[in-house]
Structure formats: C-alpha cells, structure tokens
Amino acid sequence: IEVGDNQSQELKPQARPGFTGGVDVMYQASDIVGLSIGLSYVQAGCKYKDVDDNGVTWHDHYDRMDYISVPLVGHSYIAPGLSINVGVAPSFLIYGKYHAGMLSYDLDADGHKTNIKEDEIDMDVKDGLRKFSLSIPIGVSYEYENVVLDARYNVGVLNISNQGLSSRSNILEVSVGYKLNL
C-alpha cells in the first residue's frame, strides 16, 4: 500500500468476518451421491493490523468485496446425514471497497502526541478487481431432521486483481440451513 511520498508499507491480510446467504437446489441421485447448484450473496474481504508509520497511524483498514456466487457442488455421503463436498463456484463481483482510518500527529520533545488529526479514506476499488472469480469449494455438511450445517473452504483459482497484484480470494463459509424435501 502506498503511504505517501512514494513510500510503501507491506500489509499482510487477516481474516475478516462477513455474511453469506442464499439458496441451493439438490438432486439426490442415490443414497450416497447428490448434486447441488446454488445462488448466493458472499461478502468477502480481509482486514489489516494497525500500522504506525512516521507520525501517521493507520487503523480500522480493510478490503471488502461482495460477490454473487453460483456454486455447483457434488456431495458424497459417508455416513447417514454426513457428506463430504467438492465442486466449482463461479462468482461475479458486485461491490469493492477499501477503508482506512488515519490518525496523524506530531511528537513533542517528551514523545507525547500533539496536533492530532483524524481522517478516513473510503475508496471504490471495484475497477481494480476482476469482475469474474472462480473457486473450488471443499467442505463437509451434516443434516439432522432437515437442518443442515455446512462448512466449506473456497480455494481461489483466479487472481482477483487486474492491477498486476498477486492475490487470490480464499473464503471460509459456515452456514446453517433448512432442507425442504420436494
């Protein structure tokens, strides 16, 4: 990230909680094999540790990307109600934002902060991101009396940046749903 006057600071991304919601339709081919397709809204992104750099403290900074995802997943039942799942999930970017709080200050002779100024940066970064993303969802789900608990890790296949940066979006999703038998 550019800090100013052609200086840069390396920021390592950390997990940032978000929201995922949607619907899946599943075809149960046999007692041990099922295939589902879904449509979901996925709020992805990451956050960064606070950085204090020469009179400027960067805090509360994060990237947020929202996608519409269409996961196609195969389910293999290894025990009653328990399945391991793998598939492919194309996603389409609908929102991209970078946010940071910035606290600038001077230090007096005793090392105390003076002339403190607070500011925020909100940037639309959608143009710097690919509009299409692809991931491989790998997970496990358990169904009990039509309540389904699902955990999946989406391994990013494509670089999400179109600015030459090397970045893939890996997302952990945990969801609870209700299964309707039609």
Side-chain angles (χ1 to χ4, degrees):
I1 183 171
E2 292 292 326
V3 178
D5 295 334
N6 294 325
Q7 297 177 356
S8 64
Q9 178 78 32
E10 182 179 350
L11 300 175
K12 296 193 186 274
Q14 299 175 331
R16 179 176 181 269
F19 172 80
T20 298
V23 296
D24 288 345
V25 176
M26 182 174 187
Y27 173 69
Q28 192 73 41
S30 71
D31 288 342
I32 59 171
V33 175
L35 184 64
S36 69
I37 188 166
L39 181 65
S40 59
Y41 167 80
V42 178
Q43 192 181 74
C46 60
K47 64 181 179 178
Y48 306 97
K49 284 187 178 179
D50 294 351
V51 175
D52 195 345
D53 187 45
N54 297 326
V56 177
T57 300
W58 296 83
H59 61 90
D60 187 32
H61 51 133
Y62 59 85
D63 287 311
R64 177 176 158 192
M65 290 88 57
D66 295 0
Y67 293 92
I68 297 296
S69 182
V70 185
L72 178 61
V73 179
H75 305 261
S76 178
Y77 288 86
I78 57 175
L82 180 65
S83 72
I84 54 173
N85 315 314
V86 66
V88 62
S91 301
F92 305 91
L93 182 71
I94 57 172
Y95 179 81
K97 174 184 175 179
Y98 171 77
H99 172 84
M102 189 173 66
L103 183 73
S104 60
Y105 59 89
D106 295 323
L107 293 176
D108 65 14
D110 296 327
H112 296 100
K113 294 179 181 177
T114 62
N115 299 325
I116 298 172
K117 297 177 188 154
E118 182 75 31
D119 201 4
E120 281 190 356
I121 298 171
D122 283 306
M123 293 179 4
D124 182 346
V125 294
K126 188 175 172 187
D127 289 340
L129 300 170
R130 291 186 190 271
K131 307 304 180 242
F132 176 79
S133 181
L134 187 67
S135 63
I136 305 295
I138 302 167
V140 61
S141 59
Y142 182 72
E143 177 186 338
Y144 180 74
E145 294 189 14
N146 291 7
V147 175
V148 180
L149 177 61
D150 183 79
R152 65 178 68 162
Y153 188 72
N154 293 281
V155 180
V157 175
L158 301 176
N159 190 354
I160 62 170
S161 173
N162 63 12
Q163 303 288 314
L165 302 173
S166 178
S167 179
R168 286 176 171 55
S169 186
N170 297 318
I171 301 169
L172 174 65
E173 293 179 17
V174 178
S175 63
V176 176
Y178 189 78
K179 183 177 180 179
L180 300 171
N181 294 320
L182 303 175

